[in-house]
Amino acid sequence: VLNNYYRQFFKINNLDELKKNKFIKLVPRKMIKRSSAFQYYKNRFQTNLNEKVKIPDDLNEDLMELIGIILGDGSIKKNVLRVVNADKEIIDFVIKTIKNNFRLKSTIRKAGKSEICKEVSINSAILVSFLENIGIKGNVYTKRIPEICFWRKEKEVSALLRGLFDTDGSVILNRRKDHIISISFASQALIKDTLVLLAKIGIIGKINGSKRNRIAITGERNIKLFREKIGFRIKKKEKL
């Protein structure tokens, strides 16, 4: 589980160096001097024409979960945020969060030729500027978790992970009827970032897959912590 990436972030080389339950409060070394304070400076889009648009003063659990959803099923092009998903819980959450935090309306339409997926789109230069200021950028192969998110409160970190696992994660039973929670990304950086955030709240994941692009969470302890601290918004996943 611990490769060179972990060695440069944590003061350990392997799990044997940890006493039982000691890894729950691990904090990346390179982030010790970083700040979790949120800052957003007004830009040319914040004019009287846009005074009805609300700009959040800080991040919160809903916004952190939205960040996870955007990293999983979202995209930004020009001044438009799009989220494509087949689950009503996700679609409703995105619309509600955007409205409550930015006072912006969302447009919902059928996603291409899909019979089950819907596309939520929000056309707003202010919203896109806000998300880019947080650090949401890159494409499917290069995107990663914004640096500020590593320093947030545990409940907020858990919310971001819930957004990720709701969109790109899955739950299965192996031959022994043990649960396996897994998630896959095309971005290697996002794989590593997700592992760090999981470790930050005490959950150990392991990388597998032929392209090393999949994280698997196994073991009674890890599954229990996942359900207690992260969970799923999507009901069909939560019931598994």
Side-chain angles (χ1 to χ4, degrees):
V1 176
L2 298 171
N3 55 19
N4 290 333
Y5 183 84
Y6 293 93
R7 295 188 186 102
Q8 70 171 326
F9 274 91
F10 300 109
K11 295 179 180 180
I12 56 174
N13 292 308
N14 55 65
L15 291 178
D16 293 332
E17 296 182 17
L18 296 172
K19 295 182 179 180
K20 191 175 183 180
N21 296 328
K22 288 295 185 180
F23 50 83
I24 292 179
K25 298 297 182 181
L26 282 177
V27 177
R29 281 191 296 175
K30 285 190 174 181
M31 297 174 187
I32 289 175
K33 296 183 180 180
R34 304 291 174 85
S35 172
S36 62
F38 174 79
Q39 293 181 324
Y40 178 73
Y41 301 101
K42 289 186 177 182
N43 58 33
R44 63 189 178 88
F45 299 116
Q46 277 75 70
T47 64
N48 291 334
L49 295 175
N50 296 305
E51 61 183 5
K52 292 183 179 180
V53 179
K54 178 182 177 183
I55 302 174
D57 296 325
D58 196 1
L59 298 178
N60 54 49
E61 287 184 39
D62 284 349
L63 286 175
M64 288 286 281
E65 188 168 346
L66 178 65
I67 291 172
I69 291 172
I70 292 172
L71 289 171
D73 281 347
S75 63
I76 295 175
K77 188 174 183 180
K78 294 183 179 180
N79 291 327
V80 181
L81 167 66
R82 291 184 175 86
V83 175
V84 177
N85 193 277
D87 297 289
K88 185 177 185 300
E89 297 95 330
I90 299 300
I91 298 298
D92 290 347
F93 177 81
V94 171
I95 294 171
K96 181 181 178 181
T97 301
I98 292 294
K99 181 180 180 181
N100 290 346
N101 287 275
F102 299 94
R103 290 201 291 259
L104 288 169
K105 292 183 179 180
S106 303
T107 300
I108 312 171
R109 60 171 63 90
K110 181 180 177 181
K113 297 181 180 180
S114 174
E115 296 297 328
I116 58 173
C117 289
K118 291 184 179 180
E119 177 188 287
V120 179
S121 61
I122 305 95
N123 190 335
S124 171
I126 293 177
L127 173 62
V128 170
S129 175
F130 180 89
L131 295 174
E132 290 177 343
N133 177 76
I134 291 172
I136 297 178
K137 57 185 178 180
N139 56 38
V140 66
Y141 300 104
T142 61
K143 60 185 176 181
R144 62 186 311 167
I145 295 171
E147 185 176 299
I148 189 174
C149 298
F150 290 86
W151 261 108
R152 303 300 294 188
K153 297 176 182 178
E154 184 174 287
K155 287 186 176 181
E156 294 176 341
V157 169
S158 296
L160 186 151
L161 289 169
R162 180 165 54 252
L164 275 177
F165 278 85
D166 264 331
T167 51
D168 282 342
S170 62
V171 184
I172 62 171
L173 291 173
N174 62 16
R175 294 179 181 178
R176 295 179 296 181
K177 303 299 181 181
D178 296 324
H179 284 92
I180 298 175
I181 300 173
S182 64
I183 193 166
S184 300
F185 304 115
S187 169
Q188 289 294 318
L190 187 53
I191 286 282
K192 294 173 181 178
D193 288 348
T194 302
L195 282 170
V196 171
L197 279 193
L198 286 169
K200 187 176 173 66
I201 61 173
I203 299 172
I204 301 300
K206 58 183 179 181
I207 299 177
N208 58 21
S210 59
K211 296 182 180 180
R212 298 185 62 77
N213 63 343
R214 178 175 176 266
I215 297 173
I217 298 172
T218 60
E220 182 178 349
R221 177 196 166 281
N222 287 318
I223 296 296
K224 181 181 179 182
L225 278 176
F226 184 96
R227 293 193 181 283
E228 291 175 350
K229 295 188 176 185
I230 301 174
F232 291 101
R233 180 171 295 277
I234 298 173
K235 294 178 181 178
K236 63 184 180 183
K237 288 185 178 181
E238 186 65 29
K239 290 178 180 179
L240 293 175

